[in-house]
């Protein structure tokens, strides 16, 4: 009793590890209990992001992909990341092309890596969202892709950044810009 107050960091770490293991063992009910308790006990929203990420992944794996997408969008919104889906897909693609036109391959490859733990988790949510939306809402994928690329250039690269560049390269290749598509996939 009182472990959250007396040993906050240890309790959070143990609950994160238990939440990470639960879906692997098919214990989705346990994951729900763990994530509910973490949501109640964390001192700030960011402290619960790891467990929220595992919970959204579990939703996707348990055939509740749309719920996973909605939860991810809500979490990203709380982190101040808006996908700006009010524009057309074409505008989004053109905006992304414009952003990338001012950056050389060398600059992209030498962009610093982000060390911000909250930003690293935001990238994970975006990459998972891109994967889910590819299956359910393909018209929304360019907005996620744009966000991954813009955040990578502004905040630093993450291990998830290549997901955005590959999706963007594939997208513009499908639209006929094969040489630039190849460039971004290769990067």
């Amino acid at each position: 009793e009182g472990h959250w107050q007396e040993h906050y960091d240890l309790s959070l770490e143990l609950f994160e590890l238990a939440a990470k293991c639960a879906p692997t063992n098919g214990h989705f009910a346990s994951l729900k209990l763990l994530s509910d308790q973490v949501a109640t006990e964390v001192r700030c929203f960011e402290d619960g992001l790891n467990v929220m990420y595992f919970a959204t992944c579990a939703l996707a794996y348990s055939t509740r992909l749309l719920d996973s997408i909605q939860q991810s969008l809500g979490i990203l919104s709380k982190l101040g990341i808006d996908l700006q889906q009010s524009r057309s897909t074409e505008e989004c693609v053109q905006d992304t092309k414009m952003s990338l036109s001012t950056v050389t391959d060398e600059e992209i490859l030498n962009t610093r890596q982000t060390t911000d733990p909250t930003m690293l988790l935001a990238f994970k949510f975006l990459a998972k969202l891109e994967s889910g939306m590819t299956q359910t809402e393909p018209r929304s994928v360019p907005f996620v892709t744009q966000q991954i690329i813009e955040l990578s250039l502004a905040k630093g690269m993450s291990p998830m950044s290549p997901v955005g560049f590959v999706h963007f390269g594939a997208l513009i290749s499908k639209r006929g810009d094969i040489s630039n598509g190849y460039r971004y996939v290769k990067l």
Side-chain angles (χ1 to χ4, degrees), residues 54-65:
F54 300 135
T56 58
C57 289
L59 286 172
Y61 300 141
S62 66
T63 67
R64 294 180 50 202
L65 188 55

Side-chain angles (χ1 to χ4, degrees), residues 14-27 30-31 34 54:
L14 289 172
F15 272 73
E16 286 175 352
L17 292 170
K20 186 176 186 177
C21 292
T24 307
N25 298 325
H27 297 154
S30 295
L31 177 59
L34 292 165
F54 300 135

Side-chain angles (χ1 to χ4, degrees), residues 80-91:
I81 298 172
D82 179 24
L83 299 181
Q84 302 173 12
Q85 294 186 30
S86 58
R87 303 169 296 147
S88 72
T89 302
E90 189 58 39
E91 288 174 311

Side-chain angles (χ1 to χ4, degrees), residues 8-76:
Y8 179 80
D9 291 335
L10 179 60
S11 296
L12 183 59
E13 183 179 4
L14 289 172
F15 272 73
E16 286 175 352
L17 292 170
K20 186 176 186 177
C21 292
T24 307
N25 298 325
H27 297 154
F28 298 109
S30 295
L31 177 59
K32 174 81 171 110
L33 292 172
L34 292 165
S35 61
D36 287 348
Q37 186 167 0
V38 168
T40 306
E41 299 293 342
V42 290
R43 294 178 181 160
C44 65
F45 179 73
E46 288 79 6
D47 283 355
L49 285 175
N50 270 327
V51 173
M52 287 184 251
Y53 177 71
F54 300 135
T56 58
C57 289
L59 286 172
Y61 300 141
S62 66
T63 67
R64 294 180 50 202
L65 188 55
L66 293 175
D67 292 338
S68 174
I69 289 170
Q70 288 307 312
Q71 191 170 351
S72 294
L73 288 170
I75 291 165
L76 288 167

